[in-house]
């Protein structure tokens, strides 16, 4: 992990030379992710009494504000920096990042053109434009060209190497690996770079190497949406054998990740002397039903100054009182290293390790009524949290129209975050009624989700929580996506380690999804019927 600079020592050095730009910059760099923006603004005001505030310092404060999501403040500082120096590349880059975050491609492109007009063209800005075109606008060909130009302009630019590596991960993995290696040689503690490399390695099946870099997911520099920290009173884990131990598996990341790493729970449950599971409160009844002798408890999060602290009140109280003995407490992402150290160890996942509530299953069957078509598909298309970096993996109602128009299929909505008018639009473009249980809270009532899934032939979804719930429930699942990192080197449409899964990849051309193969697969399913020979999913379900 990245080493933490001593802010007290840096502050003392700056106080010794209050007008030293070098000492002041070192102090700013020493302040961690929990430091509020006001501290940087106040510090800049103090420095200004003794030294000269130039474009570099203004841009640096702009970066600190951007990292803390204070975009308006960041924009003002970047513009001030450009007033001082129209060649300030960091300020141009900062403005492009702000507009990228706001999904304003035209404004980002305008900043890039402004930089060119002022003679400030730089590999950093070319790399930024690769993101704008490749991710924001969905023009992957143009994004790749900008990424290549950035690398050609400066072969030592770490951001350009990282970006180009991601562009070539599927096309030329060997070249991508070389780029990551070169980038990490220059910036070995860059948390995001390490995480990008980790996911590349895990996707490629290089699990031992991948897990080593995956530990950077806990680096607080990634911000509270990605990283967190736990109570230090809980015992850690350094790779020891978990057999016969009292183990506490601690939730991290999102609901889908909890279910994904929960695929190791059956083995851990059998191996440990006692298993305690700390999870999202919505999963408590599900994990308790699936692991009746385990202790299952929820967590509470507190975010202060961009640092997310996660506590497990029941467990921490028991440890402090001496009534709960734990040998090891592991963030669940570490269970990958423990149980999937290489591809051979992955084996077939225990799809079906969670169980639906039989009473809720019967209730949902009655609510949904008898079938009106031979095939019934549960459908979700978009995460509740959509940002610019993830949205291209999701769909919208217009994208779904050719799928919903396939005759012989009725669809059941598993989408919990319906936008206004979205359901009405779906029903207009579908050839048959779309079933939606409007009064069921699909976000909070996960048992209702599982009960509905038990009453459909299959679930179709991008890689998000409904797909992972379906896989973990053991239901036939069609995944609409690019290759997930947890394929671990598997490239088949029917990944061997996930017996209930069919992977239907779709691409985007200029932002528009090409869903022809998905539509054809649904047509074939409708023609064959739910008991037809539509692949290993059916065999696994049987």
């Amino acid at each position: 992990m990245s080493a933490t600079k001593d802010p007290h020592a840096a502050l003392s050095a700056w106080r010794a030379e209050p007008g030293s730009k070098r000492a002041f910059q070192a102090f700013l760099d020493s302040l961690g992710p929990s430091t509020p923006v006001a501290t940087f603004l106040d510090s800049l005001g103090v420095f200004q009494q003794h030294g000269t505030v130039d474009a570099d310092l203004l841009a640096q404060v702009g970066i600190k504000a951007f990292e803390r999501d204070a975009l308006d403040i960041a924009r003002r500082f970047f513009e001030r920096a450009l007033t001082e120096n129209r060649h300030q590349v960091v300020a141009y880059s900062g403005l492009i990042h702000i507009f990228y975050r706001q999904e304003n491609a035209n404004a980002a492109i305008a900043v890039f053109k402004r930089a060119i007009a002022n003679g400030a063209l730089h590999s950093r800005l070319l790399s930024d434009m690769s993101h704008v075109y490749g991710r924001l606008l969905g023009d992957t060909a143009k994004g790749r060209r900008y990424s290549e130009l950035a690398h050609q302009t400066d072969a030592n630019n770490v951001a350009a190497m990282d970006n180009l590596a991601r562009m070539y991960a599927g096309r030329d993995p060997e070249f991508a690996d070389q780029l990551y290696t070169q980038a990490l040689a220059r910036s070995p503690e860059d948390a995001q770079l390490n995480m990008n490399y980790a996911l590349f390695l895990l996707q490629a099946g290089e699990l031992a190497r991948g897990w080593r870099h995956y530990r950077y997911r806990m680096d607080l520099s990634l911000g509270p949406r990605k990283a967190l920290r736990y109570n230090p009173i809980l015992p850690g884990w350094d790779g020891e054998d978990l057999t016969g131990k009292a183990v506490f598996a601690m939730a991290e990341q999102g609901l889908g990740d909890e279910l994904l790493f929960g695929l190791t729970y059956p083995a851990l449950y059998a191996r440990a002397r006692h298993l305690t599971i700390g999870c999202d409160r919505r999963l408590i009844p599900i994990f308790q039903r699936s692991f009746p002798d385990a202790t299952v408890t929820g967590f509470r999060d507190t975010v202060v100054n961009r640092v997310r602290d996660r506590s497990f009140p029941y467990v921490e109280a028991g440890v402090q009182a001496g009534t709960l003995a734990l040998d090891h407490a592991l963030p669940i992402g570490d269970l990958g290293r423990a149980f999937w150290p290489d591809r051979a160890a992955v084996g077939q996942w225990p799809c079906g390790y969670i169980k639906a509530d039989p009473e809720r299953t019967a209730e949902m069957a009655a609510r949904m009524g008898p079938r009106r078509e031979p095939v019934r598909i549960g459908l979700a298309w978009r995460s509740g949290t959509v940002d610019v970096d993830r949205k291209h993996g999701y769909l919208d109602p217009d994208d779904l129209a050719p799928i919903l128009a396939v005759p012989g299929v009725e669809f059941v909505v598993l989408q919990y975050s319906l936008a206004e008018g979205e359901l009405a639009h779906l029903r207009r473009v579908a050839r048959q009624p779309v079933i939606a249980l409007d009064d069921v809270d699909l976000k909070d009532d996960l048992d209702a989700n599982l009960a509905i899934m038990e009453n459909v032939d299959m679930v179709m979804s991008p890689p998000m929580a409904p797909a992972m719930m379906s896989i973990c429930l053991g239901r036939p699942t069609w995944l609409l996506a690019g290759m997930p990192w947890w394929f671990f080197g598997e490239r088949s449409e029917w990944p061997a380690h996930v017996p209930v899964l069919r992977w239907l990849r779709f691409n985007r051309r200029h932002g528009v999804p090409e869903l022809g193969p998905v539509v054809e697969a649904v047509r074939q399913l409708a023609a064959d019927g739910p008991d037809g020979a539509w692949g290993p999913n059916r065999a696994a379900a049987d």
Side-chain angles (χ1 to χ4, degrees):
M1 298 288 189
S2 56
T4 303
K5 300 174 183 177
D6 184 354
H8 300 291
L11 178 60
S12 297
W14 175 35
R15 283 175 173 170
E17 298 181 85
S20 168
K21 175 182 172 182
R22 179 191 55 79
F24 179 57
Q25 285 182 311
F27 168 67
L28 293 183
D29 285 340
S30 73
L31 299 177
S34 63
T35 307
V37 174
T39 300
F40 294 97
L41 303 183
D42 293 343
S43 300
L44 184 66
V46 173
F47 174 78
Q48 198 166 10
Q49 299 173 18
H50 305 278
T52 302
V53 175
D54 61 12
D56 291 340
L57 286 179
L58 291 169
Q60 188 172 2
V61 175
I63 290 171
K64 300 299 183 183
F66 177 84
E67 291 173 345
R68 286 150 183 80
D69 296 324
L71 301 188
D72 289 340
I73 294 174
R75 183 175 178 180
R76 290 200 297 271
F77 273 90
F78 291 139
E79 290 290 1
R80 284 179 59 189
L82 290 172
T83 300
E84 294 289 329
N85 179 5
R86 66 178 186 175
H87 299 104
Q88 223 313 326
V89 170
V90 173
Y92 287 118
S93 180
L95 289 173
I96 291 173
H97 278 261
I98 288 172
F99 292 128
Y100 177 85
R101 178 83 64 84
Q102 295 173 338
E103 300 190 36
N104 189 340
N106 289 335
I109 293 169
V111 171
F112 179 66
K113 291 179 178 179
R114 178 178 161 196
I116 294 174
N118 287 325
L121 183 60
H122 189 275
S123 65
R124 179 171 184 161
L125 303 183
L126 291 166
S127 185
D128 292 341
M129 294 313 294
S130 173
H131 290 283
V132 171
Y133 281 103
R135 297 187 187 179
L136 188 54
L137 295 176
D139 189 339
T140 55
K142 201 164 187 176
R144 188 179 303 112
R145 285 199 297 273
Y146 271 102
S147 187
E148 290 167 344
L149 280 172
H151 188 57
Q152 291 166 11
T153 304
D154 181 2
N156 296 319
N157 185 313
V158 169
M161 284 188 275
D162 179 21
N163 195 32
L164 189 59
R166 282 187 282 178
M167 290 281 182
Y168 273 86
R171 294 163 60 90
D172 190 344
E174 186 175 347
F175 177 51
D177 203 339
Q178 291 173 0
L179 288 168
Y180 276 124
T181 302
Q182 293 168 15
L184 285 167
R186 293 187 169 274
S187 188
E189 299 300 325
D190 184 316
Q192 190 59 63
L193 177 61
N194 274 277
M195 272 303 295
N196 293 342
Y197 190 36
L199 298 180
F200 165 78
L201 290 170
L202 293 171
Q203 185 184 65
E206 296 283 348
L207 272 60
R209 295 169 61 202
W211 296 127
R212 285 198 296 271
H213 293 275
Y214 192 66
R215 65 193 176 93
Y216 279 86
R217 74 195 186 279
M218 306 302 290
D219 194 303
L220 295 179
S221 69
L222 296 175
R225 288 181 294 181
K226 296 182 179 179
L228 52 78
R229 63 185 177 190
Y230 302 101
N231 193 320
I233 70 168
L234 298 173
W237 179 72
D238 291 323
E240 299 94 335
D241 185 1
L242 298 174
T243 302
K245 304 295 185 180
V247 179
F248 179 31
M250 302 184 295
E252 57 168 291
Q253 305 179 69
L255 184 69
D257 298 283
E258 289 193 59
L259 291 161
L260 168 67
F261 287 108
L263 287 155
T264 66
Y265 287 171
L268 181 58
Y269 186 59
R271 184 181 302 182
R273 181 176 78 254
H274 183 75
L275 173 60
T276 300
I277 298 173
C279 62
D280 187 300
R281 61 178 178 79
R282 296 171 292 175
L283 287 168
I284 291 176
I286 296 168
F287 282 151
Q288 195 66 78
R289 183 164 61 244
S290 304
F291 306 102
D293 294 328
T295 300
V296 184
T297 185
F299 59 74
R300 183 173 61 210
D301 282 353
T302 304
V303 180
V304 179
N305 293 331
R306 286 186 51 79
V307 173
R308 180 161 52 118
D309 287 304
R310 174 157 293 180
S311 65
F312 300 88
Y314 171 80
V315 172
E316 290 160 17
V319 169
Q320 288 177 319
T323 57
L324 178 62
L326 292 177
D327 295 305
H328 301 292
L330 294 77
I332 55 173
D334 287 346
L335 292 171
R337 177 162 61 100
F339 288 92
W340 303 325
D342 52 48
R343 290 184 64 183
V346 173
Q348 266 200 358
W349 278 351
C351 302
Y353 83 91
I354 60 174
K355 310 295 179 187
D357 181 333
E359 292 185 3
R360 297 299 303 279
T361 300
E363 173 196 345
M364 293 302 157
R367 294 281 308 277
M368 292 160 65
R371 290 173 180 260
R372 287 159 289 187
E373 300 289 346
V375 175
R376 179 180 277 180
I377 296 177
L379 182 64
W381 53 90
R382 183 192 63 247
S383 172
T385 303
V386 181
D387 58 33
V388 65
D389 291 320
R390 301 172 66 188
K391 70 175 186 177
H392 291 299
Y394 301 137
L395 301 168
D396 61 37
D398 287 328
D399 299 329
L400 296 170
I403 297 173
L404 293 168
V406 175
V409 182
E410 63 180 6
F411 293 89
V412 181
V413 173
L414 289 170
Q415 181 67 42
Y416 73 80
S417 55
L418 285 171
E420 185 176 356
E422 203 166 18
L423 181 58
H425 182 77
L426 290 177
R427 285 174 166 157
R428 281 196 300 272
V429 300
R431 287 181 61 110
Q432 55 281 314
V434 174
I435 300 172
L437 304 180
D438 297 343
D439 60 337
V440 175
D441 187 346
L442 292 173
K443 180 177 181 179
D444 279 343
D445 191 349
L446 299 189
D447 261 326
N449 282 266
L450 301 184
I452 292 171
M453 290 174 184
E454 287 283 25
N455 284 289
V456 300
D457 296 307
M458 55 163 287
V459 170
M460 185 161 60
S461 167
M464 54 190 196
M468 195 53 65
M469 277 190 276
S470 179
I471 291 169
C472 294
L473 186 62
R475 300 301 298 155
T477 308
W478 285 7
L479 193 70
L480 310 182
M483 182 184 294
W485 64 267
W486 41 264
F487 265 39
F488 297 150
E490 175 67 75
R491 294 185 174 274
S492 169
E493 183 179 333
W494 309 97
H497 66 297
V498 195
V500 299
L501 183 65
R502 182 179 185 181
W503 172 43
L504 289 171
R505 179 171 187 164
F506 72 86
N507 296 312
R508 287 183 180 269
R509 188 178 299 275
H510 301 294
V512 179
E514 298 176 330
L515 294 172
V518 180
V519 174
E520 184 55 39
V522 174
R523 283 199 184 109
Q524 189 61 50
L525 172 60
D528 292 347
D531 298 318
W534 51 280
N537 279 351
R538 187 71 260 160
D542 290 339

